[in-house]
Amino acid sequence: MGFKDADLPDVDLATYGKRPHLERMRILSQHWAEYGFGTPWSVHLLYVFKLVFYIFLGIVLASFTSGFGGFWDVASFWSQPIFYQKVLLWTMLFEILGLGASSGPLAFRFAPPIGGVLHWVRPKTLRSPPWPGKVPFTRGSTRTIFDVVLYVAILATLLTLLLSDGVEKSGQPADSVGLLNPKILAVLIGLMVVAGLRDKVLFLVARGEQYWVAAVFFAVLPYVDMIVAMKLIMCAVWWWAAFSKLGKHFSYVVPPMLSNAPWFRIPGLKRKLYRNYPTDLRPSKLGAFVAHQGTVIEFVIPAILLFSTNRTLTVLALIVIVIFHVFITSTFPLAVPLEWNIFYCFSAVWLFGLNMAPEYGVTAISPWLLAALIGALFLFPVLGNLFPDKISFLPSMRYYAGNWATTQWAFRRGDGDGDPGAEARLNTHIVKAAPNQINQLTDLYGPEAAEMLLQKAVAWRSMHSQGRALSTLIGRHVDSYENYDVREGEFVAGTLLGWQFGDAHTHNENFMAAVQQRCNFAPGEVIVVYIESQPVHIARQQYRVIDLALGEIERGYVEVADLVANQPWLENGPLPVYPVPLRRNERSRYEVAQQLESRSS
């Protein structure tokens, strides 16, 4: 790996694409185990510059608050409550602009390097309402002028809050310059609700399960209650993230993540993360042990921070949690949630270091309020773990645990006689801010290298537990892998929706119906496999297979034990799958989505 040059597999690009699909998956997953994506250092340096920009501009914007000195005097005002509020809302603004997670080359965004604002200010792009058949005035999948105005209004409200002065709030510290105006916060809260019902992607990109909830606490709670509520948000995120990593999936997440870390450059040590490189790429005992150190940290340290009244113990716990988040940031995980991790470092120090128990502990607020807060913060994670098909993994707080809903798309290739293939229709028939990834990469590296890089993303997915089932089910429903371009569903959705973050609920049947309405694919041209997350109490994952022209063609389940027993390239053949028939008079989700899309158009 060089400063400018990517580290690619040692293959003949001219003939590589002619090899069987599963052989390519073997080559690419083995290469990933040693070199990760092979990203040149210059790309990581760009992300470091972006982090510096995020930190610097956030301080500058907050410094305009009356009573603060210049931005260079941050040491004199960083402990002010309104500074904390503004840093949180600045992070929210950074994300909703598309500058944070899911930006840049590590999220397969090259030219342009972001979606976000470029997509959401453009009328006629796709939007994805969460309940189009149930919530009035949300049906349809086309972004209107109203949606654009709504999005711009959110940006304007966030900027207004960042540049506003503080107002007095009950219980605020004596030396406080005030807190954010609840009336302006109420405007933001309302706008986010309306925008989220029109396009759930906007609510998710703003990390609404954390930042929107925080804005509600900022607006309605007295100061001490607000501080305790913010502590509970952070602890809920840590605890539920830890809980979601207790299954069999998480051990398959960390070895590929560490293989991609730019500072982890010892091939021999990387190989020890896997059972028997290169023939067995399941996680080794060392790989699983390293993975679950994070699980232990996320369970134990938040409890210390929440209940400790000992300054030394609290400081030690803060050091551990800050190192934990800095470590995650340093690995540059795909989807690159870097700003969120840096914010959590700051938030942990500010909330738990400056506002220790018992003065700001759980006993400092009403037991009724405490019970209500715990109930609210536990409701969606509990439901999401029991019924993952109903609740997105972000409100469920199942972050980077490997137990994800996922899709894989197979586009029929062209016949070579002027037919570019089915995938090209996404460029010509759908309004969006960026061309397909294959076109972005082809402009940079040429068609052969571009195709291999996109396939490397599919290989990365195959190194995770559910990736084996995706490959099996695609192979089960195409005449030949070699007649199709197989794509990671995240990247299909990323260009068409403006953002992606590991949540296949954004590219579900409603999304597929919207794509089909615009592209009118013929039977067999596009096959999509959708695999739902595993419920906490059932050791299997449900799947659906959709032909965009014909609708749902198969549903069933796979056993988690089978997922974790095979290699990414299906060395022992396809996994066992267990199809189940539709019940009598039951319509598939795709049929319902198509009907709604037809009515809205």
Side-chain angles (χ1 to χ4, degrees):
M1 186 188 303
F3 183 74
K4 293 183 179 180
D5 299 323
D7 197 325
L8 301 177
D10 185 16
V11 296
D12 180 4
L13 289 176
T15 60
Y16 171 78
K18 299 177 182 178
R19 298 189 185 194
H21 173 76
L22 292 177
E23 182 182 341
R24 283 177 270 148
M25 291 301 100
R26 177 184 60 78
I27 293 170
L28 293 175
S29 57
Q30 289 171 346
H31 186 267
W32 187 287
E34 283 206 288
Y35 300 99
F37 189 54
T39 310
W41 291 349
S42 55
V43 170
H44 298 108
L45 191 59
L46 287 174
Y47 281 100
V48 172
F49 287 152
K50 185 164 73 79
L51 277 177
V52 172
F53 172 77
Y54 156 75
I55 295 169
F56 175 73
L57 189 56
I59 293 173
V60 170
L61 289 172
S63 71
F64 286 105
T65 308
S66 178
F68 287 7
F71 69 86
W72 55 87
D73 196 25
V74 63
S76 68
F77 60 75
W78 81 276
S79 59
Q80 284 283 338
I82 195 173
F83 179 71
Y84 175 79
Q85 291 180 313
K86 289 191 174 188
V87 170
L88 184 145
L89 293 182
W90 162 241
T91 308
M92 184 179 183
L93 176 60
F94 205 78
E95 297 287 358
I96 205 169
L97 284 170
L99 299 173
S102 186
S103 65
L106 292 180
F108 273 70
R109 296 186 183 277
F110 301 93
I114 66 168
V117 63
L118 303 180
H119 185 91
W120 296 317
V121 298
R122 189 181 300 245
K124 298 186 179 179
T125 53
L126 287 178
R127 64 180 179 87
S128 183
W131 304 290
K134 299 178 181 179
V135 179
F137 310 112
T138 65
R139 184 177 292 168
S141 58
T142 301
R143 193 171 312 281
T144 65
I145 294 296
F146 173 76
D147 296 300
V148 173
V149 171
L150 190 61
Y151 174 68
V152 172
I154 291 172
L155 301 184
T157 306
L158 281 166
L159 190 59
T160 299
L161 286 162
L162 289 172
L163 298 177
S164 66
D165 293 331
V167 298
E168 187 174 347
K169 191 177 186 72
S170 173
Q172 72 182 44
D175 62 347
S176 171
V177 299
L179 285 90
L180 290 175
N181 191 326
K183 294 180 180 178
I184 307 177
L185 285 165
V187 173
L188 174 66
I189 293 164
L191 288 172
M192 284 300 305
V193 170
V194 177
L197 291 173
R198 295 278 300 173
D199 187 357
K200 63 187 176 186
V201 176
L202 282 177
F203 191 84
L204 294 174
V205 70
R207 302 305 298 269
E209 86 283 358
Q210 296 178 47
Y211 302 150
W212 180 82
V213 173
V216 173
F217 292 165
F218 290 166
V220 303
L221 294 179
Y223 180 75
V224 173
D225 295 350
M226 180 191 81
I227 295 297
V228 176
M230 289 305 303
K231 289 184 174 184
L232 289 173
I233 287 181
M234 292 195 70
C235 288
V237 168
W238 282 319
W239 282 331
W240 283 113
F243 180 79
S244 68
K245 294 167 183 171
L246 292 179
K248 296 183 178 181
H249 303 279
F250 185 57
S251 295
Y252 287 75
V253 172
V254 170
M257 183 179 79
L258 286 177
S259 291
N260 193 48
W263 47 265
F264 190 35
R265 302 190 62 208
I266 307 172
L269 191 54
K270 285 185 180 182
R271 293 177 181 182
K272 292 187 181 298
L273 297 173
Y274 305 91
R275 290 192 188 180
N276 187 25
Y277 177 91
T279 58
D280 189 348
L281 294 189
R282 291 174 296 173
S284 65
K285 291 181 179 179
L286 174 63
F289 175 80
V290 171
H292 286 292
Q293 296 313 296
T295 309
V296 173
I297 288 171
E298 287 180 312
F299 269 131
V300 174
I301 299 301
I304 295 173
L305 291 174
L306 187 62
F307 297 109
S308 170
T309 58
N310 181 283
R311 168 62 62 178
T312 301
L313 183 60
T314 299
V315 169
L316 290 174
L318 285 172
I319 291 171
V320 172
I321 206 68
V322 167
I323 291 174
F324 173 71
H325 282 286
V326 170
F327 172 80
I328 295 173
T329 303
S330 74
T331 65
F332 293 87
L334 296 192
V336 282
L338 308 184
E339 290 77 16
W340 177 84
N341 277 284
I342 295 303
F343 170 73
Y344 255 55
C345 291
F346 165 76
S347 187
V349 171
W350 198 94
L351 285 172
F352 297 98
L354 295 182
N355 302 276
M356 284 183 57
E359 294 84 357
Y360 296 99
V362 291
T363 58
I365 64 174
S366 158
W368 294 108
L369 175 60
L370 179 61
L373 290 172
I374 293 175
L377 291 172
F378 277 52
L379 175 63
F380 285 105
V382 169
L383 292 177
N385 278 283
L386 293 173
F387 311 104
D389 60 318
K390 306 296 184 186
I391 308 290
S392 161
F393 91 109
L394 289 174
S396 300
M397 298 185 181
R398 288 184 280 110
Y399 307 114
Y400 222 80
N403 183 19
W404 303 303
T406 55
T407 68
Q408 198 166 92
W409 294 55
F411 294 92
R412 189 84 183 183
R413 290 178 176 172
D415 57 16
D417 188 22
D419 178 8
E423 186 180 17
R425 220 171 299 170
L426 301 181
N427 281 333
T428 57
H429 289 61
I430 299 180
V431 178
K432 49 196 174 76
N436 297 337
Q437 277 92 353
I438 187 64
N439 303 101
Q440 297 180 43
L441 286 165
T442 296
D443 291 341
L444 294 171
Y445 303 112
E448 292 85 6
E451 185 64 38
M452 186 178 67
L453 288 170
L454 273 183
Q455 289 176 14
K456 197 162 190 184
V458 177
W460 169 84
R461 177 68 73 186
S462 74
M463 297 176 75
H464 296 76
S465 53
Q466 71 275 34
R468 281 85 157 162
L470 291 169
S471 293
T472 292
L473 290 163
I474 286 289
R476 181 178 167 89
H477 288 280
V478 299
D479 53 6
S480 170
Y481 287 115
E482 282 61 57
N483 290 333
Y484 286 81
D485 292 315
V486 180
R487 299 289 184 245
E488 164 61 38
E490 282 294 290
F491 300 148
V492 176
T495 54
L496 299 184
L497 293 174
W499 183 79
Q500 86 276 358
F501 195 63
D503 185 5
H505 286 205
T506 60
H507 34 110
N508 60 7
E509 282 85 349
N510 291 337
F511 172 77
M512 297 175 206
V515 171
Q516 174 63 11
Q517 185 202 37
R518 289 158 175 80
C519 296
N520 195 28
F521 293 112
E525 280 197 298
V526 181
I527 306 295
V528 182
V529 175
Y530 183 108
I531 297 182
E532 189 52 77
S533 306
Q534 177 198 341
V536 67
H537 58 300
I538 302 174
R540 61 179 53 159
Q541 292 183 251
Q542 303 293 324
Y543 73 80
R544 304 186 290 277
V545 183
I546 298 96
D547 181 315
L548 262 59
L550 300 177
E552 185 177 296
I553 55 179
E554 183 176 309
R555 70 168 61 176
Y557 65 89
V558 291
E559 298 285 356
V560 172
D562 293 327
L563 300 182
V564 299
N566 283 269
Q567 298 305 317
W569 54 91
L570 303 180
E571 182 180 54
N572 298 320
L575 302 185
V577 298
Y578 304 92
V580 296
L582 279 169
R583 293 187 293 272
R584 182 177 295 179
N585 299 324
E586 181 183 6
R587 293 187 302 162
S588 73
R589 300 179 188 217
Y590 189 70
E591 289 174 313
V592 174
Q594 281 187 310
Q595 186 177 49
L596 288 171
E597 191 66 28
S598 176
R599 287 177 180 176
S600 66
S601 62

